[in-house]
Amino acid sequence: MRDKIVAGNWKMNNDQYQTKELLSNLKSSKIPDDVRVMVAPSFTQLSQSKNLLNNTNISVIAQNMNAAHSGAYTGEISADMLKGIEVNTVIIGHSERRSIFNESDEILKEKVKAALAADMEVIFCFGEELQERKTNNHYKVVANQLKVALFELPEIVWKNLILAYEPVWAIGTGETASPQQAQEMHAYIRKLIAQNYNQSTAENLAILYGGSVKPNNAKEIFSEQDVDGGLIGGASLKANDFIEIFSAF
Ligand code: PEP
């Protein structure tokens, strides 16, 4: 049985007061027993969020990290620093990191390796841009992103990897991939993993969909066979919306 996962990526939102309010609303909701619910606050809110969510089954995860252990990297955070405050999962490769901060698949590969070496769990994001889909290159683009960033990893570490397929044209746009488009791509990704590794690695891997998941479309998307949950941006900032989404399985 694969994990069902709903992770909220807060991006650069929520100060300490908003964090407190949002998390207290989430805490008072019923978290389904069979869904792993995660929130990714900004770095400055990680410790407070850990404290507020103590004794709940909502995990606090990070939005990014640097591949280096330590050193002259002004403004950066290492895996060891995250582990030091018991943040054990990190999102790597979000499309905003790729497009705004120029993180290539080569750079992301180093980040993934560093996170896994620190015994962290990684949610690895990837997905095609609109033009690439329009020109029917989306499968090729996704295959290449996975090949460069992940396919040199040994099979043993895949138990600590979660994939998040996020078509760039659907992120923050209100435009969602149809459940069929998500299913087709997720099935393709699972096939690639089976080809490059083996069937059981592919079958055990959680593949999340991200891109304008909202309360009104979550159930339909999550009911697809190869969709194991969602990475949620905008809707994770509103307690009621996020609760409806993680309750939608
Ligand atoms: C995201 O940023 O990963 C995302 C999926 O955002 P949204 O849900 O707002 O489209």
Side-chain angles (χ1 to χ4, degrees):
M1 266 283 277
R2 294 194 285 273
D3 283 345
K4 296 176 185 171
I5 299 166
V6 175
N9 174 13
W10 293 1
K11 311 188 181 186
M12 200 172 71
N13 293 297
N14 288 335
D15 64 16
Q16 68 270 41
Y17 307 108
Q18 294 162 318
T19 296
K20 203 167 172 186
E21 191 185 337
L22 178 49
L23 293 183
S24 65
N25 286 329
L26 296 184
K27 258 171 87 162
S28 58
S29 71
K30 162 101 186 69
I31 312 286
D33 291 334
D34 61 342
V35 181
R36 291 179 65 194
V37 177
M38 306 175 177
V39 290
S42 64
F43 287 136
T44 58
Q45 298 311 314
L46 288 173
S47 287
Q48 180 187 208
S49 300
K50 289 283 298 178
N51 291 336
L52 291 167
L53 294 173
N54 197 16
N55 292 327
T56 72
N57 49 6
I58 304 176
S59 315
V60 177
I61 70 172
Q63 298 177 17
N64 180 34
M65 55 165 262
N66 191 281
H69 277 294
S70 61
Y73 300 98
T74 302
E76 293 293 286
I77 302 272
S78 72
D80 291 344
M81 290 170 179
L82 294 171
K83 292 277 291 191
I85 54 165
E86 293 174 15
V87 169
N88 298 318
T89 302
V90 60
I91 299 170
I92 292 180
H94 189 276
S95 73
E96 287 146 22
R97 298 297 317 174
R98 292 170 181 267
S99 65
I100 304 171
F101 301 98
N102 298 322
E103 294 187 0
S104 64
D105 285 308
E106 290 291 344
I107 290 173
L108 298 172
K109 171 169 129 180
E110 297 310 314
K111 290 192 176 205
V112 170
K113 282 191 336 202
L116 294 170
D119 213 16
M120 293 189 80
E121 179 179 57
V122 172
I123 300 180
F124 183 76
C125 305
F126 56 96
E128 82 283 359
E129 306 210 1
L130 183 58
Q131 196 53 27
E132 293 163 338
R133 181 162 279 264
K134 278 187 173 163
T135 51
N136 213 22
N137 282 313
H138 44 300
Y139 289 114
K140 209 160 59 185
V141 167
V142 161
N144 195 54
Q145 288 171 324
L146 295 178
K147 178 170 174 258
V148 175
L150 303 183
F151 284 173
E152 283 172 24
L153 293 169
E155 192 232 320
I156 180 97
V157 300
W158 277 79
K159 61 182 188 315
N160 288 329
L161 272 168
I162 297 162
L163 300 187
Y165 167 61
E166 299 206 295
V168 178
W169 47 271
I171 295 179
T173 59
E175 191 173 340
T176 325
S178 68
Q180 294 72 23
Q181 284 173 321
Q183 168 56 27
E184 275 167 19
M185 182 57 90
H186 284 220
Y188 172 73
I189 293 162
R190 211 177 291 288
K191 195 176 82 192
L192 284 181
I193 309 298
Q195 281 166 357
N196 282 279
Y197 292 91
N198 54 54
Q199 198 61 37
S200 86
T201 301
E203 282 304 320
N204 291 326
L205 177 72
I207 308 176
L208 314 184
Y209 168 79
S212 298
V213 176
K214 307 284 177 204
N216 64 3
N217 59 23
K219 200 176 189 64
E220 226 193 337
I221 294 171
F222 295 168
S223 64
E224 292 294 339
Q225 195 186 337
D226 286 291
V227 178
D228 304 305
L231 184 56
I232 319 298
S236 72
L237 300 174
K238 297 181 193 144
N240 288 343
D241 284 3
F242 193 53
I243 292 164
E244 269 195 65
I245 292 170
F246 67 62
S247 308
F249 272 105

